[in-house]
């Protein structure tokens, strides 16, 4: 007599509200706050333009967060917008979201690893980047509770460093240098760069299958984490503009270190270490999120079925985690960091565009999903041409892979 079919293993619900908020904060309060100010200021053309871009990026992130939170409460499975697009729009829309997340976040993870190496071991950045990917893959394989604990430590450390920088900036000398003037279209380009610093809040949704009482926890955790992050970013932006000005900021490769150097030189090594720790938090949560999305797509046979394996002991998608980390290691050894933020932002904005389109189906009269969808498309189109063309090429390749999987599904 044949054995009954085995049920698909589910991930365990181990994350409460504090843990979910900690993962969201660690995902956002990372490399963005240390890296995006210079290209954003250059694109915006002035301090007021930069602040306007921050407001636009924050508003789009809020719309996306509301849409993601509502959808995650109704569909509390691993995979985020891949699941929402598949169930509420069309499998092709879901695949587009999943493909965008995997490609954009894998490139982002490699960029974060390289940034970590550049801050903490500038003589051998790639070696430290590779070691960090291996170490954080091991942490994630030990279970999501370890991920949440490590994320809380990273987020708290980052907040402490940023607080020290802001205090130093408000008490030190001011030597602000202005730029020529606001570039209206450049404000949207700057918003695209700044959006990169907000994009981690969806990590809570991608871990939805592991959150306790997701219908209550996720809608609360996402806006709380986003609100805290926006307040911190606004405070940092005002401080760095007041001390350095948009002109100096646009030319800086390490804006917060330069701010510390201008206000309190003894803080410069502290800022470097804090930046490394913050980037580490982002890299840790990125690897976890990529693995969960790959798991969801493998379950639906959009990726090889072996990636759907879940560890019975630790309750984590070990095959997807290993595959994601391996791909990041390859990119770490080959990736040019220039343009990585723009490319990642383009892919992630398309991902959230699908999430907003799925949220429209919940209530077509609600304005926020429509505004979020329009904002994502507008800001994505405003990014540098190389990022847009690279992103479109990746989606064309994804369309080909989707056609292959559809043909296999129909033949089965």
């Amino acid at each position: 007599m044949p054995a009954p079919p085995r049920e698909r293993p589910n991930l365990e619900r181990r994350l409460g509200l504090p843990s979910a908020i900690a993962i969201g904060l660690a995902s956002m309060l990372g490399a963005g706050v240390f890296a995006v100010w210079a290209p954003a200021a250059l694109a915006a053309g002035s301090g007021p333009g930069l602040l306007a871009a921050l407001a636009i990026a924050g508003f789009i992130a809020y719309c996306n967060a509301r849409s993601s939170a509502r959808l995650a409460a109704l569909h509390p499975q691993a995979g985020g917008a891949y699941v929402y697009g598949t169930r509420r729009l069309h499998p092709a829309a879901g695949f587009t979201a999943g493909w965008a997340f995997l490609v954009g976040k894998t490139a982002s993870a490699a960029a974060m690893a390289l940034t970590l190496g550049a801050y903490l071991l500038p003589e051998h950045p790639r070696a430290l980047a590779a070691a960090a990917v291996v170490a954080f893959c091991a942490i994630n394989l030990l279970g999501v509770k370890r991920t949440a604990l490590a994320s809380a430590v990273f987020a708290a450390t980052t907040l402490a460093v940023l607080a020290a920088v802001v205090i130093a900036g408000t008490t030190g000398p001011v030597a602000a240098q202005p730029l020529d003037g606001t570039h209206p279209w450049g404000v949207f380009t700057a918003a695209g760069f700044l959006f990169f610093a907000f994009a981690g809040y969806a990590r809570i949704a991608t871990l939805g299958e592991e959150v306790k009482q997701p219908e209550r926890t996720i809608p609360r955790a996402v806006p709380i984490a986003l609100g805290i992050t926006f307040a911190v970013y606004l405070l940092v932006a005002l401080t760095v503009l007041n001390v350095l000005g948009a002109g100096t900021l646009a030319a800086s490769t390490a804006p917060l270190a330069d701010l510390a150097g201008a206000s309190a030189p003894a803080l410069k090594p502290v800022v470097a270490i804090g930046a490394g720790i913050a980037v580490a938090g982002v890299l840790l949560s990125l690897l976890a999120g990529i693995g969960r999305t790959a798991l969801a797509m493998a379950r639906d046979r959009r990726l090889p079925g072996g990636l759907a394996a879940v560890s019975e002991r630790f309750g984590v998608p070990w095959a997807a985690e290993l595959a994601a980390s391996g791909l990041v290691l390859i990119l770490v050894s080959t990736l040019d960091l220039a343009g990585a933020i723009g490319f990642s932002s383009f892919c992630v904005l398309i991902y959230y565009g699908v999430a907003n389109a799925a949220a429209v189906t919940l209530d077509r009269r609600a304005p926020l999903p429509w505004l979020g969808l329009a904002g994502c498309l507008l800001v994505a189109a405003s990014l540098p041409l190389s990022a847009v063309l690279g992103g479109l090429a990746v989606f064309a390749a994804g369309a080909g892979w989707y056609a292959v999987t559809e043909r296999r599904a129909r033949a089965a």
Side-chain angles (χ1 to χ4, degrees):
M1 183 175 182
R6 296 181 63 184
E7 293 185 3
R8 185 177 67 182
N10 292 319
L11 305 179
E12 295 185 28
R13 299 194 182 278
R14 301 179 178 181
L15 298 177
L17 180 62
S19 296
I21 293 173
I23 289 175
L25 286 176
S27 302
M28 289 181 281
L29 289 174
V33 75
F34 292 94
V36 299
W37 301 111
L42 184 62
S46 70
L50 179 66
L51 295 177
L54 179 61
I56 292 171
F59 178 72
I60 293 174
Y62 174 74
C63 293
N64 297 346
R66 292 281 296 179
S67 295
S68 297
R70 291 184 65 193
L71 289 163
L74 291 174
H75 305 285
Q77 291 84 35
Y82 166 71
V83 174
Y84 316 148
T86 298
R87 295 196 175 188
R88 307 203 68 88
L89 297 172
H90 188 275
F95 180 87
T96 299
W99 188 262
F101 185 92
L102 288 177
V103 173
K105 291 302 184 180
T106 300
S108 181
M112 295 304 94
L114 290 168
T115 303
L116 175 69
Y119 266 98
L120 297 183
L121 194 63
E123 298 84 2
H124 305 285
R126 294 188 188 273
L128 182 57
V133 172
V134 173
F136 293 151
C137 175
I139 291 175
N140 282 331
L141 289 175
L142 292 176
V144 73
K145 289 297 289 184
R146 273 76 170 183
T147 301
L149 177 61
S151 296
V153 173
F154 289 140
T157 304
T158 305
L159 285 172
V161 172
L162 293 178
V165 170
V166 169
I167 292 171
T170 56
T171 58
V174 175
Q177 296 293 324
L179 279 174
D180 295 335
T182 302
H183 307 144
W185 183 246
V187 170
F188 290 100
T189 305
F193 286 120
L194 291 169
F195 184 81
F196 176 83
F198 283 103
Y201 56 82
R203 206 78 69 254
I204 302 170
T206 59
L207 298 174
E209 195 171 317
E210 294 155 278
V211 174
K212 299 175 184 176
Q213 296 181 305
E215 68 283 351
R216 295 182 66 251
T217 300
I218 293 175
R220 294 168 63 192
V222 170
I224 290 173
L226 180 61
I228 294 171
T229 300
F230 182 81
V232 171
Y233 286 177
L234 179 60
L235 191 57
V236 171
L238 291 172
T239 304
V240 77
L241 285 172
N242 181 60
V243 176
L244 299 179
T248 303
L249 179 60
S252 174
T253 57
L256 298 191
D258 289 344
L259 187 154
S263 304
L267 276 180
K268 287 198 72 171
V270 176
V271 172
I273 294 172
I277 293 173
V279 175
V282 173
L283 180 58
L284 177 69
S285 58
L286 270 175
L287 292 174
I290 295 168
R292 269 62 179 186
T293 301
L295 165 69
M297 295 181 73
R299 284 173 170 174
D300 292 344
R301 301 186 183 279
R302 298 300 182 184
L303 290 178
L307 296 177
V310 175
S311 169
E312 294 183 2
R313 179 178 179 185
F314 297 110
V316 297
W318 63 269
E321 291 276 4
L322 288 175
S325 298
L327 184 56
V328 172
L329 282 174
I330 294 173
L331 294 179
V332 159
S333 65
T334 60
L335 183 70
D336 179 5
L337 193 57
I341 292 178
F343 175 76
S344 177
S345 292
F346 180 85
C347 293
V348 174
L349 282 163
I350 299 302
Y351 171 88
Y352 285 118
V354 174
N356 281 298
V360 166
T361 65
L362 300 177
D363 183 358
R364 296 186 181 278
R365 295 173 297 179
L368 286 182
W370 289 107
L371 291 172
L373 175 59
C376 285
L377 297 178
L378 175 62
V379 172
S382 76
L383 286 165
L385 184 61
S386 58
V388 175
L389 293 179
L392 292 176
V394 164
F395 284 112
W401 177 254
Y402 175 79
V404 170
T405 60
E406 276 293 284
R407 192 176 301 114
R408 288 177 179 173
R410 292 194 183 111

